[in-house]
């Protein structure tokens, strides 16, 4: 059997900024070994987590290396979607077929490469989980590449507070044009939960209006800029807000906390406002004690770990089904063609101002998916 | 039957400071009506809650008034212990006996009076709940007067976090010489939970040492002053602290939060540090997000409301039993003789600096309790 020409971005030692330590390596891929599946990646996002991993600031290392390099070359990229192109021995014939769409089953798979032979157990087969009538469109496949980091995270952010969330309830979110927040708005809408979206103030009224229109299409009830929320409570008047999802921290988190109804919860899942670990929010006794609110942090992996492997898989497949049925729409991303841009894509992600669309590697496309 | 000479502190309109609106009224008490029990109060604390009620700053009004006054005169005092001295008609013979010790079954009974006829349903009979071998000593009866505000609150503060508390776990508390905190230390010790007590810095080394000795007698493992905790982590090194109970807020709460192990919880139940509703604590991303801690407020009534009447009664009787068995010791209080001091006791409570012993009215004592 002829060998496959493949390429991967990889790093041997952590580096800051991440792009400086990455190399594009071309290599030949043998046929898959026993228990392995050969895949061709279709899309893989460049996530903030990946940048942390390459710069050595995240305590989990990639589990895969580029074959045939003198020093171990770790392949970053924990998220993405691939197509099965060959199947090794000792794989159950019902588990994988050529053409199946797969995503990583866990952290560390290494998706920043064109092709790979990986253990079958490290893949989650979306095709076998979807009803056979559901043929994914190309835009659905793109959405699958962010199932884990965006849709699963959004789902867990809502689910994590499920005891208090009932149809008709109100939630409030900041950084609402972000991929996770817009997925939260859509999932909340599906559950009958009404959302108030807070977006940063844009200098340009047209781009402001575009963001508002987009969020309303996702089902947002009210969209306010940070300064509109600060200046007036008119947009939230009379609404019993039980959950605030905060990706900004600092003053923006304080504004969200102040809108909560008694007994409400503020969940922090990011510090887009800057300041890193030293960033802080001020919690007054009026908000915390009088209103009896709870403030907690969210890390998706903690909540995923509370599920069995089967439960996690069922959740991912269910979310994939919502995408194919057009009940969940893909947030805006920007595609970077693999091979042309290689590590320039990473450099662009590093310099990306907060609130801009996520970058996603686009690999070779297969016209016939099924 | 001859009428009983009684006295009560009462108010008609809210006033600040509370002492200015209170009047000591002497009146005659008829025999108890149908369904009523006549009680003589033995001890009743002057709680911060009572002062809030009299000054109209707490949204619950006393339910009892002084008989025969032209305008309704509300009797404050929600906590205390009384002795049954007469029983009206239509009371089950097994429910109350002369000499039984009773405490209020709920909020609003009005304990700042020497005697009262009250509905049997508004009383909780401690004597009938205790094994007949357990004869309470006078100091136990004094402890019963703070069962609800101190021991129940301390129990709920620990119980409220029960999912994460296991024998061997560490907790940290500030304002540790306060009545509630010292009850928490004792209840934690009974459950095998180790406590680190933080006390304010006292100018006088002898009183510092007395506070430390007292807390160690309650079972505290480590006692640190606020400045010792601020200056060095030596006292907490190597201890996985899962729960911080904060009655001070502000900088003291921030110090406690910084000691928590990943996943820990800070529960705020007071703002002794001053500043009222505007008081604030700074929550950094390092503490909240990196350490994944939760910050929440505690109000005992919220957690009591989650129990049935029977469950609440069983808990109170269980705590009373611990007192009689000398497994729970009374925190320091200062007695104020009823009738001599009348509303001067309230004035002293108003002027009380933070961290001083609670004031408790002492009424007439009955030598023969049982």
């Amino acid at each position: 059997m002829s060998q496959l020409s493949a390429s991967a971005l990889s790093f041997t030692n952590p580096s800051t900024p991440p792009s400086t330590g990455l190399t594009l390596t071309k290599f030949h891929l043998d046929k898959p070994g026993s228990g392995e599946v050969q895949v061709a990646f279709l899309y893989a996002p460049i996530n903030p987590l990946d940048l942390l991993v390459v710069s050595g600031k995240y305590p989990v290392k990639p589990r895969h290396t580029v074959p045939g390099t003198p020093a171990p070359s770790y392949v970053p990229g924990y998220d993405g979607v691939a197509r099965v192109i060959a199947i090794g021995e000792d794989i159950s014939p019902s588990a994988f077929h050529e053409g199946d769409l797969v995503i990583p089953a866990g952290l560390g798979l290494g998706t920043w490469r064109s092709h790979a032979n990986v253990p079958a157990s490290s893949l989650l087969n979306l095709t076998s989980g979807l009803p056979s009538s559901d043929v994914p469109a190309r835009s659905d496949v793109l959405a699958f590449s962010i199932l884990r980091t965006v849709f699963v995270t959004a789902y867990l952010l809502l689910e994590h507070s499920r005891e208090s969330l009932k149809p008709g309830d109100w939630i409030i979110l900041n950084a609402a044009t972000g991929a996770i927040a817009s997925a939260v708005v859509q999932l909340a809408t599906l559950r009958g939960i009404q959302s108030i979206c807070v977006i940063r103030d844009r200098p340009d009224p047209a781009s402001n209006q575009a963001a508002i229109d987009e969020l309303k299409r996702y089902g947002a009830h009210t969209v306010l800029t940070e300064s509109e929320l600060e200046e007036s409570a008119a947009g939230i008047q009379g609404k019993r807000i039980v959950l605030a999802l905060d990706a900004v921290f600092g003053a923006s988190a304080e504004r969200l906390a102040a809108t909560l109804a008694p007994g409400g919860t503020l969940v922090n899942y990011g510090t887009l406002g800057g300041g890193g670990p030293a960033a802080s929010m001020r919690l007054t006794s009026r908000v915390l004690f009088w209103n009896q609110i709870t403030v907690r942090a969210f890390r998706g992996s903690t909540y995923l770990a509370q599920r069995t492997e089967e439960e996690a898989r069922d959740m991912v497949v269910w979310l994939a089904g919502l995408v194919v049925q057009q009940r969940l729409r893909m947030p805006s991303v920007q595609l970077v063609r693999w091979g042309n841009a290689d590590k320039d894509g990473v450099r662009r992600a590093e310099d990306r101002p907060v609130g801009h669309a996520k970058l996603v590697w686009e690999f070779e496309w297969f016209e016939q998916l099924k």
Side-chain angles (χ1 to χ4, degrees), chain A:
Chain A
M1 185 187 171
S2 72
Q3 283 186 318
L4 196 66
S5 286
S7 57
L9 273 177
S10 66
F11 69 103
T12 299
N13 298 306
S15 58
T16 308
S19 54
T20 58
L22 287 168
T23 313
L24 185 77
T25 310
K26 294 187 190 290
F27 59 97
H28 287 96
L29 201 62
D30 290 327
K31 65 176 189 169
S34 171
E36 284 188 338
V37 171
Q38 189 169 72
V39 298
F41 284 95
L42 301 171
Y43 295 105
I46 306 173
N47 288 321
L49 174 65
D50 299 319
L51 301 184
L52 289 176
V53 168
V54 180
S55 58
K57 290 176 186 153
Y58 194 82
V60 180
K61 257 203 172 166
R63 287 189 280 113
H64 289 251
T65 53
V66 178
T69 47
S73 293
Y74 300 102
V75 184
Y78 284 176
D79 215 0
V81 60
R83 179 181 184 274
V84 172
I85 55 173
I87 296 160
E89 284 170 16
D90 295 321
I91 305 271
S92 153
S94 65
F96 291 96
H97 303 94
E98 246 180 69
D100 279 356
L101 292 172
V102 293
I103 64 169
L107 280 185
L109 185 66
T111 57
W112 291 8
R113 46 183 166 173
S114 66
H115 304 83
N117 294 331
V118 295
S121 61
S122 65
L123 297 173
L124 203 154
N125 191 337
L126 291 183
T127 301
S128 70
L130 293 173
S132 57
S133 58
D134 289 343
V135 181
R138 186 159 173 164
S139 61
D140 299 339
V141 178
L142 176 56
F144 293 166
S145 76
I146 58 161
L147 262 180
R148 223 159 243 290
T149 40
V150 175
F151 290 113
V152 166
T153 303
Y155 178 78
L156 291 173
L157 268 169
L158 280 174
E159 185 65 9
H160 170 42
S161 319
R162 68 182 176 285
E163 284 169 316
S164 55
L165 284 182
K166 294 174 294 299
D169 279 346
W170 290 91
I171 64 172
I172 191 165
L173 313 87
N174 56 15
T177 55
I180 291 173
S182 63
V184 166
V185 171
Q186 296 185 70
L187 286 167
T189 305
L190 287 176
R191 286 173 57 174
I193 294 154
Q194 308 177 83
S195 43
I196 299 163
C197 290
V198 183
I199 60 177
R200 74 201 147 78
D201 294 88
R202 288 166 171 72
D204 160 24
S207 86
N208 224 20
Q209 194 55 50
I212 293 170
D213 293 346
E214 180 76 358
L215 284 165
K216 296 230 164 172
R217 273 197 299 277
Y218 289 149
H221 182 279
T222 301
V223 183
L224 300 168
T225 63
E226 290 280 359
S227 58
E228 282 169 347
L229 179 62
E230 187 168 13
E231 282 152 23
S232 149
I236 57 163
Q237 206 92 59
K239 300 180 173 65
R240 197 181 53 84
I241 304 172
V242 297
L243 177 67
L245 297 176
D246 164 46
V248 182
F249 213 48
S252 180
E254 292 167 14
R255 280 194 282 277
L256 295 197
T259 70
L260 283 169
T265 299
L266 178 123
V267 174
N268 168 258
Y269 69 102
T271 47
L272 290 182
S280 70
M281 72 176 287
R282 209 173 128 266
L283 208 51
T284 63
S285 184
R286 181 181 301 278
V287 165
L288 179 69
F289 190 76
W290 286 29
N291 272 357
Q292 296 278 301
I293 72 161
T294 297
V295 177
R296 62 162 73 108
F298 171 88
R299 193 178 283 155
S301 52
T302 307
Y303 296 97
L304 258 186
Q306 293 169 4
R307 291 161 192 258
T308 64
E309 220 173 280
E310 290 73 24
E311 286 172 336
R313 187 197 57 210
D314 290 351
M315 169 176 63
V316 171
V317 170
W318 171 70
L319 287 165
L322 290 181
V323 168
V324 175
Q325 295 151 32
Q326 314 288 320
R327 296 173 70 201
L328 262 188
R329 285 173 47 221
M330 175 73 185
S332 303
V333 296
Q334 200 175 327
L335 297 175
V336 187
R337 186 83 195 133
W338 180 261
N340 296 341
D342 56 84
K343 70 182 197 176
D344 283 351
V346 179
R347 203 168 294 130
R348 281 164 64 194
E350 286 162 5
D351 298 339
R352 210 123 185 95
V354 162
H356 277 253
K358 186 188 283 291
L359 296 172
V360 178
W361 298 121
E362 181 181 39
F363 299 88
E364 188 184 351
W365 181 251
F366 292 76
E367 275 316 319
Q368 193 54 47
L369 277 180
K370 271 201 167 185

